[in-house]
mmCIF file of all heavy atoms in Angstrom:
data_model
loop_
_atom_site.group_PDB
_atom_site.id
_atom_site.type_symbol
_atom_site.label_atom_id
_atom_site.label_comp_id
_atom_site.label_asym_id
_atom_site.label_seq_id
_atom_site.Cartn_x
_atom_site.Cartn_y
_atom_site.Cartn_z
ATOM 1 N N GLY G 1904 -5.082 -9.171 -15.835
ATOM 2 C CA GLY G 1904 -3.969 -9.972 -15.194
ATOM 3 C C GLY G 1904 -2.658 -9.227 -15.276
ATOM 4 O O GLY G 1904 -1.844 -9.257 -14.382
ATOM 5 N N PHE G 1905 -2.476 -8.605 -16.443
ATOM 6 C CA PHE G 1905 -1.191 -7.903 -16.699
ATOM 7 C C PHE G 1905 -1.102 -6.635 -15.788
ATOM 8 O O PHE G 1905 -0.046 -6.352 -15.270
ATOM 9 C CB PHE G 1905 -1.166 -7.530 -18.136
ATOM 10 C CG PHE G 1905 0.119 -6.823 -18.570
ATOM 11 C CD1 PHE G 1905 1.309 -7.507 -18.622
ATOM 12 C CD2 PHE G 1905 0.099 -5.473 -18.961
ATOM 13 C CE1 PHE G 1905 2.516 -6.890 -19.016
ATOM 14 C CE2 PHE G 1905 1.292 -4.823 -19.333
ATOM 15 C CZ PHE G 1905 2.462 -5.527 -19.362
ATOM 16 N N LEU G 1906 -2.229 -5.967 -15.647
ATOM 17 C CA LEU G 1906 -2.187 -4.680 -14.844
ATOM 18 C C LEU G 1906 -2.484 -4.940 -13.366
ATOM 19 O O LEU G 1906 -2.200 -4.051 -12.538
ATOM 20 C CB LEU G 1906 -3.275 -3.728 -15.400
ATOM 21 C CG LEU G 1906 -3.141 -3.235 -16.855
ATOM 22 C CD1 LEU G 1906 -4.290 -2.395 -17.208
ATOM 23 C CD2 LEU G 1906 -1.843 -2.470 -17.029
ATOM 24 N N GLY G 1907 -3.015 -6.124 -13.007
ATOM 25 C CA GLY G 1907 -3.367 -6.341 -11.640
ATOM 26 C C GLY G 1907 -4.627 -5.596 -11.273
ATOM 27 O O GLY G 1907 -4.762 -5.131 -10.144
ATOM 28 N N PRO G 1960 -4.016 -0.770 -8.498
ATOM 29 C CA PRO G 1960 -3.484 -1.187 -7.169
ATOM 30 C C PRO G 1960 -2.014 -1.675 -7.245
ATOM 31 O O PRO G 1960 -1.581 -2.114 -8.319
ATOM 32 C CB PRO G 1960 -4.367 -2.330 -6.732
ATOM 33 C CG PRO G 1960 -4.908 -2.851 -8.043
ATOM 34 C CD PRO G 1960 -5.017 -1.717 -8.997
ATOM 35 N N SER G 1961 -1.271 -1.478 -6.127
ATOM 36 C CA SER G 1961 0.090 -1.915 -6.034
ATOM 37 C C SER G 1961 0.065 -3.438 -5.729
ATOM 38 O O SER G 1961 -0.352 -3.845 -4.641
ATOM 39 C CB SER G 1961 0.825 -1.169 -4.984
ATOM 40 O OG SER G 1961 0.851 0.224 -5.315
ATOM 41 N N THR G 1962 0.565 -4.252 -6.651
ATOM 42 C CA THR G 1962 0.600 -5.648 -6.463
ATOM 43 C C THR G 1962 1.875 -6.265 -6.963
ATOM 44 O O THR G 1962 2.560 -5.679 -7.798
ATOM 45 C CB THR G 1962 -0.590 -6.406 -7.181
ATOM 46 O OG1 THR G 1962 -0.508 -6.086 -8.591
ATOM 47 C CG2 THR G 1962 -1.920 -5.938 -6.632
ATOM 48 N N ILE G 1963 2.262 -7.424 -6.456
ATOM 49 C CA ILE G 1963 3.397 -8.186 -6.968
ATOM 50 C C ILE G 1963 3.006 -8.779 -8.359
ATOM 51 O O ILE G 1963 1.888 -9.235 -8.493
ATOM 52 C CB ILE G 1963 3.853 -9.258 -6.012
ATOM 53 C CG1 ILE G 1963 4.281 -8.653 -4.693
ATOM 54 C CG2 ILE G 1963 4.926 -10.122 -6.604
ATOM 55 C CD1 ILE G 1963 4.620 -9.641 -3.585
ATOM 56 N N ILE G 1964 3.947 -8.718 -9.246
ATOM 57 C CA ILE G 1964 3.642 -9.236 -10.624
ATOM 58 C C ILE G 1964 3.175 -10.698 -10.501
ATOM 59 O O ILE G 1964 3.823 -11.496 -9.846
ATOM 60 C CB ILE G 1964 4.856 -9.168 -11.498
ATOM 61 C CG1 ILE G 1964 5.289 -7.721 -11.671
ATOM 62 C CG2 ILE G 1964 4.571 -9.784 -12.889
ATOM 63 C CD1 ILE G 1964 6.564 -7.479 -12.451
ATOM 64 N N ARG G 1965 2.065 -11.012 -11.129
ATOM 65 C CA ARG G 1965 1.502 -12.358 -10.994
ATOM 66 C C ARG G 1965 2.211 -13.290 -11.882
ATOM 67 O O ARG G 1965 2.611 -13.002 -13.045
ATOM 68 C CB ARG G 1965 0.030 -12.307 -11.321
ATOM 69 C CG ARG G 1965 -0.769 -11.338 -10.437
ATOM 70 C CD ARG G 1965 -2.238 -11.243 -10.894
ATOM 71 N NE ARG G 1965 -2.933 -10.224 -10.087
ATOM 72 C CZ ARG G 1965 -4.194 -9.900 -10.244
ATOM 73 N NH1 ARG G 1965 -4.869 -10.511 -11.241
ATOM 74 N NH2 ARG G 1965 -4.797 -8.992 -9.537
ATOM 75 N N GLY G 1966 2.387 -14.553 -11.400
ATOM 76 C CA GLY G 1966 2.943 -15.598 -12.255
ATOM 77 C C GLY G 1966 4.472 -15.483 -12.368
ATOM 78 O O GLY G 1966 5.079 -16.262 -13.113
ATOM 79 N N VAL G 1967 5.042 -14.537 -11.644
ATOM 80 C CA VAL G 1967 6.509 -14.406 -11.724
ATOM 81 C C VAL G 1967 7.112 -14.513 -10.325
ATOM 82 O O VAL G 1967 6.533 -13.988 -9.358
ATOM 83 C CB VAL G 1967 6.876 -13.053 -12.328
ATOM 84 C CG1 VAL G 1967 8.390 -12.851 -12.391
ATOM 85 C CG2 VAL G 1967 6.309 -12.857 -13.714
ATOM 86 N N ALA G 1968 8.180 -15.279 -10.192
ATOM 87 C CA ALA G 1968 8.806 -15.413 -8.892
ATOM 88 C C ALA G 1968 9.294 -14.070 -8.369
ATOM 89 O O ALA G 1968 9.665 -13.169 -9.112
ATOM 90 C CB ALA G 1968 9.984 -16.404 -8.988
ATOM 91 N N GLN G 1969 9.241 -13.910 -7.044
ATOM 92 C CA GLN G 1969 9.645 -12.645 -6.464
ATOM 93 C C GLN G 1969 11.133 -12.398 -6.710
ATOM 94 O O GLN G 1969 11.929 -13.328 -6.657
ATOM 95 C CB GLN G 1969 9.368 -12.691 -4.966
ATOM 96 C CG GLN G 1969 9.529 -11.306 -4.285
ATOM 97 C CD GLN G 1969 9.076 -11.360 -2.897
ATOM 98 O OE1 GLN G 1969 8.524 -12.308 -2.394
ATOM 99 N NE2 GLN G 1969 9.248 -10.238 -2.171
ATOM 100 N N ALA G 1970 11.424 -11.139 -7.047
ATOM 101 C CA ALA G 1970 12.770 -10.820 -7.427
ATOM 102 C C ALA G 1970 13.761 -11.068 -6.267
ATOM 103 O O ALA G 1970 13.389 -10.827 -5.142
ATOM 104 C CB ALA G 1970 12.804 -9.381 -7.864
#
Side-chain angles (χ1 to χ4, degrees):
F1905 182 71
L1906 298 177
S1961 299
T1962 58
I1963 297 174
I1964 299 176
R1965 301 175 186 179
V1967 179
Q1969 190 169 357

